[in-house]
Amino acid sequence: MGSSSGEEGEEQWVPPSRRPELADVAPLPQADGPCPVVSIAYRGDFREVMDYFRALYAAGERSPRALRLTADAIHLNPGNYTVWHFRRVVLEALDADLLLEMHFVDQIAESNPKNYQVWHHKRWLAEKIGPDAANSEHDFTRKILAMDAKNYHAWSHRQWVLQALGGWESELQYCNQLLEEDVFNNSAWNQRYLVVTRSPILGGLAAMCDSEVDYTVEAIMVNPQNESPWRYLRGLYKDDNNLLVADNRISDACLKVLNKDWQCVFALSFLLDLLRMGLQPSDELKGTIEAMENSDPETGHADIAVAVCSILQKCDPLRINYWSWYQTTLSS
């Protein structure tokens, strides 16, 4: 267990009661009241560290020994937000080396990657250090995301670093790498959208939309049952239905998918929305839908949108009530 900011914890741990530097401190026990309903059976080392911490905290002491004691308390319970807060107070009072502190908190974060207090402390440090922290923070989140690609805390921190400190230059390439490794990584798709829409060096969505549509359609063709690129495709048009309908690549993608798998819910639902937005279906698309209907003698509708909705009720039984309702809106 480490005893100070940045230390590896290799030395044998010494209980606070046996440390000469704390000889003048009177431990302050936890106040559970005269008749506690359920007393928590704390471990001896935990109780001792917290009693000494409580004493220094109550005295408002900002000293190196107070900083070392917060490290002990954090190693025993990395989720104690009061200890983290007091540590920040002490760090500021001592004008401590924040790079050394970042090394300390990175060690804690690696073994506690989903701890809110740890990531809050890292953000506080990065904000204090400034843009010089950007590259190292991006490297660290890469390391965490390599262990768990869906770690919300790491993604949230990475996005904050990008927008507050910079580091956009290679972020789109990083998204490409993650999606090459796992095209189903919805977190990477979400990050890609952030980069395309907010990066100050890419020109914004207007400049990127065309190439992104090509990229996304290609991803859809690789695996049409992956919901993420279908969702991403909608986001590229930011509710501009006219542009969405006018882009033939979208309806063509739906057609290609349905020619291979007529039960692809994502292609059918996207096509249905396009039709409701005003898409004028090509003869080839009409023929495909008619052929799908002919495979089931119970279906048969003159309106192509109603036909698609009817097909969805067959191949998406979990949402049959939704598609049934949707069909009534088309009829009306």
Side-chain angles (χ1 to χ4, degrees), residues 170-315:
S170 61
E171 195 64 14
L172 188 60
Q173 182 181 353
Y174 177 54
C175 294
N176 287 339
Q177 173 195 328
L178 291 178
L179 291 172
E180 286 174 6
E181 295 171 356
D182 178 14
V183 74
F184 287 90
N185 187 340
N186 57 298
S187 297
W189 282 104
N190 181 70
Q191 183 74 355
R192 187 181 187 92
Y193 191 77
L194 175 86
V195 175
V196 167
T197 56
R198 299 192 186 183
S199 171
I201 63 177
L202 294 179
L205 187 55
M208 295 293 295
C209 185
D210 190 62
S211 60
E212 284 301 289
V213 170
D214 286 337
Y215 178 89
T216 309
V217 168
E218 183 179 344
I220 287 173
M221 292 299 109
V222 171
N223 198 317
Q225 295 296 340
N226 181 6
E227 184 175 5
S228 293
W230 291 103
R231 295 291 182 184
Y232 186 80
L233 200 54
R234 292 177 187 268
L236 291 176
Y237 290 91
K238 296 204 71 167
D239 298 324
D240 191 331
N241 294 342
N242 292 330
L243 284 178
L244 178 61
V245 171
D247 194 333
N248 292 330
R249 290 173 295 179
I250 311 301
S251 55
D252 287 347
C254 293
L255 177 60
K256 290 177 182 178
V257 170
L258 293 174
N259 278 332
K260 294 181 179 180
D261 179 10
W262 69 272
Q263 292 187 322
C264 180
V265 172
F266 302 125
L268 286 167
S269 61
F270 207 120
L271 176 60
L272 181 58
D273 288 342
L274 289 175
L275 291 167
R276 187 165 188 174
M277 293 173 193
L279 173 69
Q280 297 301 311
S282 64
D283 290 339
E284 184 180 4
L285 181 57
K286 289 179 181 178
T288 297
I289 300 302
E290 288 174 0
M292 291 162 60
E293 280 198 294
N294 291 337
S295 66
D296 186 345
E298 294 183 8
T299 62
H301 302 87
D303 187 291
I304 188 171
V306 174
V308 172
C309 202
S310 179
I311 295 169
L312 277 164
Q313 293 178 57
K314 299 288 185 180
C315 61

Side-chain angles (χ1 to χ4, degrees), residues 11-49:
E11 298 180 1
Q12 184 176 2
W13 184 73
V14 178
S17 60
R18 293 169 53 189
R19 298 178 193 174
E21 67 173 4
L22 295 174
D24 63 317
V25 178
L28 182 60
Q30 179 171 300
D32 287 332
C35 301
V37 177
V38 179
S39 295
I40 299 176
Y42 295 113
R43 269 177 22 197
D45 56 347
F46 179 86
R47 184 184 299 276
E48 182 172 335
V49 167

